């Protein structure tokens, strides 16, 4: 008689597998020296969840970087939206994402009290030829 089929395995989306995140290389900053860290995630994880894992990896850093100052990207230009999943961006296990750090918002938003307008100075993004402050 044929053997019974193996028990069903959980959907692959629930399995945790490694992706890599390349941290920026910032001059005179021992915490951010271009290192690559591994995160174990499911492809169904949102970008916001990945950023929280990055914060956990930075727990022993001198400089803490909140998720709103982290931008993630991959091969194509453009940053990921926090509500989307890794699967949405066709990220595969083993891929290396690129972490870019933004300066705090207070450094580039100022209010003009005379007119009620807001002046926006684009942030300095480490390694970006476009966002130079």
């Amino acid at each position: 008689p044929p053997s019974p089929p193996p028990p069903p395995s959980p959907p692959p989306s629930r399995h945790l597998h490694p992706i890599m995140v390349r941290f920026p290389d910032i001059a005179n900053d021992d915490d951010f020296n271009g290192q690559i860290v591994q995160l174990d995630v499911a492809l169904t994880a949102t970008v916001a969840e990945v950023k929280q894992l990055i914060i956990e990896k930075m727990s022993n850093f001198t400089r803490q970087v909140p998720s709103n100052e982290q931008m993630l990207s991959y091969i194509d230009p453009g940053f990921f939206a926090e509500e989307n999943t890794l699967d949405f961006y066709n990220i595969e296990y083993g891929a290396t994402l690129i972490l870019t750090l933004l300066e705090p918002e207070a450094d580039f938003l100022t209010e003009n009290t005379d007119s009620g307008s807001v002046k926006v100075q684009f942030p300095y993004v480490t390694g970006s030829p476009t966002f130079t402050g």
Side-chain angles (χ1 to χ4, degrees):
S3 60
S9 59
S13 62
R14 292 187 184 164
H15 290 257
L16 299 182
H17 293 282
I19 62 165
M20 307 302 178
V21 177
R22 180 184 303 274
F23 281 42
D25 189 359
I26 301 174
N28 302 317
D29 189 326
D30 293 334
D31 289 335
F32 296 99
N33 55 21
Q35 71 270 42
I36 297 175
V37 299
Q38 178 179 314
L39 302 177
D40 293 321
V41 299
L43 294 180
T44 56
T46 65
V47 172
E49 292 169 331
V50 172
K51 287 181 176 184
Q52 286 304 312
L53 292 173
I54 291 170
I55 288 172
E56 291 173 20
K57 287 286 185 180
M58 293 188 294
S59 63
N60 62 342
F61 283 19
T62 304
R63 175 182 170 199
Q64 298 301 306
V65 180
S67 61
N68 67 332
E69 294 176 20
Q70 300 176 27
M71 300 299 287
L72 288 172
S73 60
Y74 190 48
I75 297 169
D76 296 326
F79 294 119
F80 295 169
E82 292 209 358
E83 65 275 5
N84 292 334
T85 64
L86 296 176
D87 197 37
F88 176 86
Y89 294 106
N90 296 316
I91 303 301
E92 296 180 6
Y93 294 122
T96 301
L97 304 181
I98 301 163
L99 174 65
T100 302
L101 303 181
L102 298 177
E103 295 299 318
E105 290 179 15
D107 292 345
F108 62 92
L109 291 179
T110 56
E111 185 176 349
N112 182 341
T113 54
D114 296 333
S115 68
S117 64
V118 175
K119 173 186 170 190
V120 177
Q121 176 184 347
F122 286 101
Y124 173 78
V125 177
T126 303
S128 171
T130 305
F131 294 102
T132 58

